[in-house]
Amino acid sequence: MYWTGSCGGCDVSFLELGAALLDVLSKVEIVFWPALVDAKRADVEALPAGAIDVALINGTLRTEENREMAELLREKSKLIVAYGACAHLGGIPGLANLSQREEILAAVFGDGFRPTPPPGGSPEDAPPELLAEALPLSAAVRVDYVVPGCPPPPGLISRAFDALLGELPPTGHVFAPEKALCEECPRTKEERRLTQVVRPHEVLPDPEKCLLDQGMICLGPVTRGGCDAACPKAGMPCTGCLGPTPNAGDQGLAMLSALASLVRAGEEGEAAFASEDKVLDAIVDPVGTFHKYALPATWRVPSPLRGGGSGRGGRP
């Protein structure tokens, strides 16, 4: 298990398995997990190629060290699992791609900042260089499987371990249902006509009705199920952490398309366009709303890591 650029929630998520975690641990040998055991990079480097059966990597790739460790673990492992939304799609840290690396460093550390060792330190004590952009794991190495989520829900973690310790699915499998989250949401869907857009803190939602029908931008229609609709059940709209359904493609654009067909302000026709635009103008932070987790996986800027290419990228 390795943690690149993330909050650490994915490492903690295993505890959600409860007593079942003991059964998993009884069947595996932990070779490398910096958050749990005292193994070093040199220990991994000393292993022969393919010595590790499965490496679970969580977090976005943000630094040169992240990329090097991903490549090292790819070499030493038979299987690589992108664990969590950041490794899968780039995650919330990937929203930093809206700014250039130099702009971020200047905003945080001031103009002219360059990573250097602390006073009296050796060159290797310097912080690692930031990559030009945040990247999903698949941008650097071949990914065999994905466990999605922010963090992955316990049901999907169990599903992944059952497969990894038993019969493996085809390479590229995502350990989450292909059906949309709406299919497992208990809220009733009736109106399917959006006349206003509201944010969660602006209303006390009806506990029975679909949040999208109540004006909240809920990404349930375009997001994989697998979390038992935990957020909508709690009155919060789905923000899409389990990634797009296979049919959705670009999760954000699919949701925009859905909204375009739902917004209504009076009678249909050109006369209503201005009023309908006013409804959509109420969406605060469109990029953060529709591409909260998948910006690096769907929209890319030129990057030396990809040979300077640009445009939309693919997902494993």
Side-chain angles (χ1 to χ4, degrees):
M1 185 77 184
Y2 188 68
W3 164 3
T4 59
S6 67
C7 65
C10 283
D11 273 43
V12 178
S13 67
F14 296 106
L15 298 177
E16 295 293 327
L17 292 178
L21 179 60
L22 299 177
D23 184 51
V24 173
L25 292 176
S26 70
K27 298 175 181 176
V28 302
E29 176 187 0
I30 299 174
V31 179
F32 182 64
W33 190 348
L36 195 64
V37 297
D38 190 25
K40 308 297 186 187
R41 174 172 174 165
D43 298 316
V44 179
E45 292 173 334
L47 295 172
I52 300 173
D53 289 323
V54 183
L56 287 79
I57 301 177
N58 73 80
T60 188
L61 302 183
R62 180 72 263 198
T63 70
E64 184 65 25
E65 181 185 50
N66 295 160
R67 185 186 61 79
E68 292 174 2
M69 286 302 301
E71 292 177 348
L72 176 62
L73 288 168
R74 176 69 274 182
E75 176 194 350
K76 305 296 182 181
S77 307
K78 297 182 180 70
L79 297 172
I80 290 285
V81 177
Y83 187 89
C86 291
H88 179 201
L89 302 168
I92 293 174
L95 291 173
N97 288 357
L98 294 171
S99 301
Q100 296 292 322
R101 171 182 54 190
E102 289 70 23
E103 293 174 333
I104 296 170
L105 291 174
V108 176
F109 300 107
D111 292 334
F113 171 80
R114 294 290 181 275
T116 57
S122 59
E124 57 264 27
D125 292 331
E129 291 278 355
L130 283 183
L131 297 175
E133 57 180 322
L135 299 169
L137 183 60
S138 60
V141 298
R142 176 172 52 83
V143 170
D144 298 295
Y145 300 112
V146 172
V147 184
C150 182
L156 302 188
I157 301 173
S158 295
R159 182 185 296 194
F161 277 128
D162 288 345
L164 294 172
L165 294 169
E167 185 174 350
L168 290 172
T171 300
H173 182 74
V174 177
F175 289 104
E178 294 189 350
K179 291 184 177 179
L181 180 137
C182 290
E183 299 292 327
E184 56 193 44
C185 181
R187 290 176 174 271
T188 57
K189 309 170 186 62
E190 297 176 352
E191 185 66 21
R192 284 308 186 204
R193 175 174 173 162
L194 198 63
T195 58
Q196 64 171 347
V197 171
V198 296
R199 305 178 75 183
H201 67 278
E202 295 176 327
V203 296
L204 185 61
D206 184 300
E208 305 294 333
K209 295 182 178 178
C210 169
L211 294 175
L212 189 56
D213 284 350
Q214 298 182 64
M216 291 189 187
I217 304 301
C218 181
L219 269 64
V222 297
T223 301
R224 284 179 183 264
C227 62
D228 198 27
C231 292
K233 282 182 177 177
M236 293 296 291
C238 169
T239 56
C241 75
L242 290 174
T245 62
N247 291 332
D250 184 314
Q251 193 176 15
L253 291 184
M255 191 63 208
L256 277 171
S257 177
L259 285 180
S261 65
L262 294 175
V263 172
R264 292 290 182 271
E267 296 298 325
E268 294 188 24
E270 293 186 9
F273 286 176
S275 297
E276 291 173 355
D277 287 346
K278 190 175 181 180
V279 173
L280 293 174
D281 284 346
I283 298 175
V284 178
D285 184 18
V287 176
T289 299
F290 298 111
H291 294 284
K292 185 173 184 177
Y293 302 95
L295 185 67
T298 51
W299 299 99
R300 294 177 178 172
V301 297
S303 166
L305 196 59
R306 298 192 187 89
S310 63
R312 292 183 56 185
R315 292 177 298 276

